[in-house]
Amino acid sequence: MSGKRCEWLGGDERGIARAAELLREGRLVAMPTETVYGLAARADRTEAVAEIYRAKGRPDFNPLIVHVGSRELARSLALFDARADLLAERFWPGPLTLVLPLRQPSAIAPAVTAGLPTIALRQPVHPLAAALLEELNLPLAAPSANRSGSLSPTRAEHVAASLGAAPAAILDGGASARGMESTIVALREDGSWQLLRPGPVTEAELSELLGPATPLREARIEAPGQLARHYSPGKPVRLEALAAESDEFMVGLGEIGGDCTMSEAGDLAEAAARLYACLHEAAASDRPRIAVAPVPEEGIGAAINDRLRRAAAG
Ligand code: TXA
Ligand code: MG
């Protein structure tokens, strides 16, 4: 990697044009989305996709989400049934990823789907991601822009700290509004569906449209965001803490303050948006351990607790 340099691009027309040019050539660009920053590359180029896996140090059984700028492009890549249409209509563009049967023959590089007969698709709503995807009119594979297993980035600075000069450029879009990875839903051909990863779109919102979900079979690691040890801040994490011990960095919520608060008002959407920012701060602090206030298991609180349990399992 030495001698390589990473271009820092502003979120204006010039920045978007440069990001598009680099991506078209098959290079890696970190792009902002409303959830977390993604490490993007052309999903139709085997070499470019291999570069993503190298940069992240990612085990290659872990498939990638493909980002699209339009429903038409999504439909050309996957088989949409009535449920998929309904979910896309309701939640796209936005923080919902659909796992659907892969349309054959496929232009998508096989490493993107890791050999699965399905593909994970998402149309982001972030204006810079949307502008970039529209300009390119190409599918972009983009996992979260961090080394495999560590915290997801919600600011351009987090990307630079985790990946150094591995991306050719970082498109700076400021702090991610949602701050948490998309909800992942698998729609099965037998009519059932599964929640592969909880996120900003809640299970309650989904089951209102789809009926109850089929529970995940534990043995199958299809979404390694589901590996127990993931999203690790690299220090011991104590959950459900009411106060910090002297060597702990305290992540607070509501009444329980701390060194960084997820939401002073106790608002769970704000807490989700600030969770990783607080964990990044905690990881960078000189205190060896992290304590986190209790988070109610309601609405998006379920997704926050999912990430916190995995951070604590590290
Ligand atoms: O919000 C997000 O989803 C962010 C932004 C950048 O869009 N991306 C993200 O990507 O979190 P990543 O790679 O960190 O997580 C993608 C998850 C993985 O857990 C992967 O296993 C799962 O999606 N996945 C991808 N393709 C799949 C498939 N065909 N079947 C099941 N799971 C799949
Ligand atoms: Mg990730």
Side-chain angles (χ1 to χ4, degrees):
M1 301 271 143
S2 66
K4 278 216 312 191
R5 169 176 152 313
C6 171
E7 294 176 34
W8 199 278
L9 304 175
D12 51 13
E13 251 169 69
R14 258 182 56 202
I16 292 166
R18 178 64 180 150
E21 181 182 23
L22 288 165
L23 285 164
R24 205 175 279 113
E25 289 168 4
R27 312 285 301 280
L28 300 188
V29 173
M31 68 169 178
T33 85
E34 70 278 17
T35 59
V36 300
Y37 276 69
L39 182 62
R42 288 181 67 149
D44 60 346
R45 292 272 185 93
T46 300
E47 255 319 295
V49 173
E51 206 41 58
I52 294 180
Y53 281 97
R54 262 198 295 281
K56 282 188 62 91
R58 181 170 185 136
D60 52 15
F61 59 81
N62 194 345
L64 306 174
I65 295 175
V66 173
H67 298 68
V68 294
S70 71
R71 215 90 71 76
E72 292 65 48
L73 185 54
R75 277 219 183 74
S76 75
L77 301 172
L79 301 172
F80 276 65
D81 63 9
R83 299 169 303 167
D85 283 332
L86 187 66
L87 292 181
E89 186 61 40
R90 174 79 182 272
F91 296 107
W92 280 9
L96 179 70
T97 295
L98 299 177
V99 172
L100 301 171
L102 180 65
R103 192 184 278 280
Q104 297 286 3
S106 182
I108 299 298
V112 170
T113 51
L116 294 168
T118 53
I119 183 170
L121 288 172
R122 180 164 106 78
Q123 184 183 0
V125 71
H126 190 292
L128 294 181
L132 187 56
L133 285 161
E134 190 187 347
E135 169 142 354
L136 278 167
N137 194 29
L138 286 169
L140 294 179
S144 53
N146 54 276
R147 294 280 303 173
S148 189
S150 61
L151 292 173
S152 293
T154 56
R155 309 192 65 99
E157 292 79 5
H158 298 155
V159 178
S162 186
L163 294 178
I170 300 176
L171 183 60
D172 188 352
S176 298
R178 298 295 199 131
M180 173 171 293
E181 302 84 354
S182 62
T183 304
I184 306 181
V185 164
L187 299 177
R188 304 302 182 189
E189 284 169 289
D190 66 2
S192 67
W193 70 280
Q194 295 171 317
L195 185 66
L196 298 185
R197 182 173 68 186
V201 174
T202 63
E203 183 167 4
E205 287 177 284
L206 293 165
S207 45
E208 209 174 285
L209 295 175
L210 300 174
T214 306
L216 277 184
R217 274 164 294 163
E218 296 296 340
R220 264 174 80 206
I221 296 171
E222 216 176 4
Q226 300 308 101
L227 287 173
R229 185 167 175 239
H230 206 79
Y231 312 108
S232 169
K235 291 178 183 179
V237 177
R238 184 167 67 92
L239 303 180
E240 312 273 333
L242 302 179
E245 286 164 18
S246 62
D247 63 344
E248 286 177 332
F249 182 100
M250 182 77 201
V251 176
L253 177 66
E255 308 270 88
I256 302 177
D259 301 289
C260 183
T261 178
M262 293 185 277
S263 168
E264 217 173 300
D267 177 76
L268 292 181
E270 184 186 18
R274 289 187 38 77
L275 168 70
Y276 286 130
C278 283
L279 290 178
H280 278 286
E281 233 188 83
S285 90
D286 54 10
R287 265 157 290 169
R289 301 193 299 130
I290 303 168
V292 185
V295 177
E297 184 78 14
E298 59 194 44
I300 197 176
I304 299 175
N305 283 324
D306 169 77
R307 302 307 191 278
L308 283 172
R309 277 193 295 273
R310 292 169 205 286

